[in-house]
Amino acid sequence: MSQIDPFSPTPEDSAAEDAQRADRLTVRLAAIRAAMEQTVFGQPTVIEQLLVTVLSGGHALLVGAPGLGKTLLVTTAATVLGLDTRRVQFTPDLMPSDITGAEILDHDEEGRRVFRFVKGPIFAQMLLADEINRASPRTQSALLQAMQEYRVTQSGVEHALPRPFHVLATQNPIEQEGTYPLPEAQLDRFMLRILLDFPDFDAERQMLIATTGVPAAPPPVLFSASELIEAQALVRRLPVGEKTLEAILRLVRGLRPETAATKEIAEALAYGPGPRAAQSLMLACRARALIDGRLAPSPDDVAALAEPVLAHRMALNFAARASGVRLDALIAGLGRTLL
């Protein structure tokens, strides 16, 4: 019969320690958010959603018109979080090896010719995939294994990516000529689709004053990669109440044609979100609660994150699109009913 070690921490002790860590982390996250808002003006919701994505250990697709600060948002986040970042400008002639890396013929110390793997820009803690829809599907698919398995396979050899690893891709919704829409399998790898809109009057006024005068100082480094990994582990330990869990399941399942909550939803959808969507929504709600200083998520978090987590994992059929049905209205309508 095994004996209990009196010096080992009890579940109550672990929960108390996590609560203390969460309190300290909330203060740090508030400082990080404030520092980002000093550089990226008029986008508080976007900044929150980006932090939710990173704290959850996921990837984000940033969608917005040119000039809204998508690239600035990513570079600012990488600087403040203390992460190594690389940028890849996606173009139609970009090859997969331009991202993942390639083997070159080299000489070893004894003068023999050998193949050596040269790492590509994907070997960074935060990868900015700028205008990802401009690359061909072949090049886009180079990110699939990296985003899901955190490694790259070259000539049968697997190369682990640095941790943490996040892909933040940008996409211009206005220009469609010469672009390749992302396939559904790749869209499903993005935890959140973050929509950037034009800033309001006061925010744009502040931006004009700050960006057309003397260049401002770069944002401070307030975090590190090791601290981010610890924060991501803490997010996964936050408890989720039965009411919130039930809300996530009912919302995700209610937006699938096979198990639709209403007849109207079933007739409007071509396909709905899969199990990865429910996993992403659960993690994102935990991260949002931590940013807000709460130790457990609530149905309000589900309502706030439902569209950015689910909308890019769903599609309307032709009849629904022709009738003017909108995915955001569909998700919000079911959310009001369930939450």
Side-chain angles (χ1 to χ4, degrees):
M1 183 176 179
S2 60
Q3 295 181 350
I4 299 176
D5 183 0
F7 299 102
S8 62
T10 64
E12 291 78 9
D13 294 334
S14 300
E17 291 175 359
D18 283 347
Q20 294 174 0
R21 293 190 187 98
D23 290 339
R24 293 193 297 268
L25 185 57
T26 298
V27 176
R28 301 280 303 280
L29 292 173
I32 290 171
R33 187 171 180 176
M36 293 182 64
E37 290 177 352
Q38 292 296 317
T39 303
V40 183
F41 300 103
Q43 303 286 359
T45 302
V46 169
I47 291 174
E48 178 188 81
Q49 291 178 357
L50 181 62
L51 290 177
V52 164
T53 303
V54 174
L55 281 175
S56 304
H59 316 287
L61 180 64
L62 308 175
V63 181
L68 294 183
K70 299 186 293 295
T71 302
L72 177 63
L73 174 68
V74 176
T75 55
T76 301
T79 300
V80 174
L81 294 172
L83 301 180
D84 172 40
T85 182
R86 303 280 178 84
R87 175 181 177 177
V88 177
Q89 185 69 45
F90 279 61
T91 56
D93 60 347
L94 194 71
M95 298 298 291
S97 58
D98 295 330
I99 303 173
T100 60
E103 286 192 335
I104 64 171
L105 190 61
D106 200 358
H107 293 82
D108 61 12
E109 297 177 354
E110 299 178 359
R112 294 175 299 186
R113 291 189 296 178
V114 294
F115 283 102
R116 178 170 61 89
F117 178 67
V118 178
K119 295 180 178 180
I122 199 172
F123 286 85
Q125 293 168 335
M126 184 171 285
L127 176 68
L128 170 56
D130 213 356
E131 295 188 283
I132 187 174
N133 57 328
R134 284 194 173 278
S136 66
R138 179 184 179 187
T139 302
Q140 292 176 9
S141 65
L143 293 174
L144 280 174
Q145 182 187 21
M147 294 172 66
Q148 186 64 29
E149 302 174 16
Y150 301 98
R151 63 178 183 266
V152 168
T153 302
Q154 181 70 29
S155 301
V157 180
E158 293 184 347
H159 304 272
L161 292 169
R163 302 301 296 266
F165 173 73
H166 303 278
V167 175
L168 302 180
T170 69
Q171 186 170 311
N172 175 7
I174 297 176
E175 200 170 4
Q176 299 298 326
E177 185 177 354
T179 62
Y180 301 86
L182 296 178
E184 288 76 10
Q186 184 148 9
L187 285 172
D188 197 31
R189 262 68 174 185
F190 288 103
M191 175 172 279
L192 268 72
R193 186 190 66 169
I194 303 175
L195 302 179
L196 284 83
D197 204 354
F198 292 98
D200 59 27
F201 182 88
D202 293 334
E204 192 161 4
R205 181 179 185 273
Q206 184 183 11
M207 179 180 64
L208 280 175
I209 295 173
T211 58
T212 58
V214 178
V221 179
L222 301 176
F223 222 51
S224 67
S226 59
E227 289 176 318
L228 179 57
I229 292 175
E230 293 177 2
Q232 291 171 348
L234 178 60
V235 166
R236 288 180 171 269
R237 294 198 298 271
L238 293 183
V240 178
E242 188 64 33
K243 185 177 180 180
T244 303
L245 177 61
E246 186 77 12
I248 292 172
L249 285 171
R250 293 179 63 189
L251 181 63
V252 174
R253 294 180 61 83
L255 290 170
R256 296 173 187 162
E258 300 81 4
T259 56
T262 65
K263 181 180 179 182
E264 290 75 13
I265 293 177
E267 293 176 348
L269 291 177
Y271 62 88
R276 191 181 283 119
Q279 295 170 339
S280 297
L281 188 54
M282 175 87 90
L283 284 173
C285 288
R286 283 174 162 145
R288 187 174 186 268
L290 183 60
I291 292 173
D292 200 34
R294 291 176 283 114
L295 295 178
S298 70
D300 291 337
D301 298 310
V302 180
L305 294 168
E307 183 184 347
V309 171
L310 302 178
H312 61 290
R313 293 178 161 101
M314 306 165 52
L316 298 170
N317 55 38
F318 178 78
R321 294 198 304 271
S323 302
V325 178
R326 294 174 48 183
L327 276 175
D328 57 348
L330 211 64
I331 296 171
L334 181 59
R336 285 192 296 269
T337 303
L338 298 178
L339 306 177

